[in-house]
Amino acid sequence: MSRQPFIAGNWKLNLGPEDASKVSAELVQALAGHRDVTVAIFPTALSIPSVVRAVAGSEIGVGMQEIESVASGAFTGGNSAVMARAAGCTYALVGHSERRQLWGETDARCGDKVAFALASGLLPILCVGETLAERRAGRVEEVVTRQLEAGLSAIAPDQVAAVTLAYEPVWAIGTGETASPDQAQAVHATLRAWLRAGHGDVADDIRIQYGGSVKPGNAKELLACPDIDGALVGGASLRAESFAGIVAAATA
Ligand code: PGA
């Protein structure tokens, strides 16, 4: 079992084309030496062309923060996975908690989007995670396994290995409050056990990122946990120096 660490930067609605290009170019320089870590950045859709140009020739992948589960049509404001692939994207986030909370993204739609991402040639990162109220009510396992089951429900068993998971406790996103390594590891182990029960040894290959206030200062401790295979980084990914610091923690 050897899972290469996967560090992804979710830029959310930040860094327009010019700033995105500048940070991407800085990242290419800063990460030139890192070979054993998968790295991807998720710019806002409008910045994707400039980021794709800036990282060309490097090992840095680019992804969409959100996709529709259709290729094209009357979907005002939507983003197409097929077009994202044509624009140079490799990955797509699915089910980020901000999409679930602010846009009412349902478990079922996340399942459709995982399937459509794969059908379009994009590798999905399926995000799961509980709210603070759900944690306090002792419902963490129930919530994350429900989200996981729905997220994988529309794909064939042999496609599961192509999915990356991100465990992002909602109460730790953008709050500066990180899950402790023990708290995060416990949920990652639960997710992997669920995968093993339903999908066998593929559970050993699937990477499970942790997300929620990951910074250079806490990344090493989190990434040292046996079932934490990377990070999905928001705020600390907006500057090349701090994002590179997290990639360095994954290399160490
Ligand atoms: P954060 O965001 O690192 O700013 O907490 C993580 C995420 O939302 O993916």
Side-chain angles (χ1 to χ4, degrees):
M1 174 189 73
S2 71
R3 295 182 294 268
Q4 183 173 89
F6 184 179
I7 308 296
N10 173 12
W11 287 356
K12 309 191 179 184
L13 191 46
N14 297 293
L15 302 179
E18 210 173 305
D19 291 335
S21 178
K22 185 168 163 277
V23 175
S24 302
E26 289 167 0
L27 263 181
V28 168
Q29 275 211 313
L31 299 184
H34 297 290
R35 291 267 167 266
D36 301 325
V37 183
T38 310
V39 177
I41 45 184
F42 292 75
T44 182
L46 289 170
S47 296
I48 282 177
S50 68
V51 170
V52 167
R53 273 195 300 277
V55 303
S58 78
E59 299 287 315
I60 301 171
V62 181
M64 285 287 288
Q65 293 175 12
E66 179 61 22
I67 53 163
E68 300 300 326
S69 53
V70 291
S72 62
F75 299 93
T76 303
N79 285 307
S80 160
V82 174
M83 294 178 198
R85 184 84 190 100
C89 287
T90 307
Y91 302 97
L93 292 183
V94 177
H96 188 278
S97 66
E98 283 151 19
R99 299 299 308 188
R100 291 180 191 263
Q101 293 199 313
L102 303 174
W103 278 267
E105 188 80 333
T106 62
D107 287 343
R109 281 195 34 88
C110 291
D112 290 343
K113 289 181 179 188
V114 165
F116 196 75
L118 288 169
S120 309
L122 295 181
L123 299 170
I125 299 180
L126 172 65
C127 305
V128 303
E130 82 287 357
T131 62
L132 188 56
E134 288 164 340
R135 175 164 282 266
R136 288 191 174 142
R139 296 180 50 214
V140 178
E141 179 168 349
E142 170 211 324
V143 169
V144 299
T145 56
R146 185 199 75 221
Q147 292 171 335
L148 174 55
E149 181 169 17
L152 302 182
S153 62
I155 60 174
D158 66 355
Q159 291 181 296
V160 172
V163 178
T164 296
L165 301 180
Y167 167 58
E168 299 203 303
V170 178
W171 47 271
I173 294 180
T175 58
E177 192 174 339
T178 319
S180 70
D182 285 350
Q183 282 175 319
Q185 165 58 27
V187 180
H188 283 233
T190 298
L191 292 169
R192 205 176 303 282
W194 186 93
L195 286 168
R196 191 176 311 286
H199 298 278
D201 289 346
V202 127
D204 289 327
D205 300 327
I206 292 186
R207 292 181 288 189
I208 310 178
Q209 299 172 325
Y210 169 78
S213 300
V214 176
K215 306 180 260 293
N218 61 21
K220 203 167 176 176
E221 236 192 339
L222 287 159
L223 292 165
C225 298
D227 289 298
I228 300 183
D229 311 310
L232 180 53
V233 186
S237 70
L238 293 171
R239 286 180 32 251
E241 190 189 351
S242 53
F243 191 58
I246 295 168
V247 175
T251 318

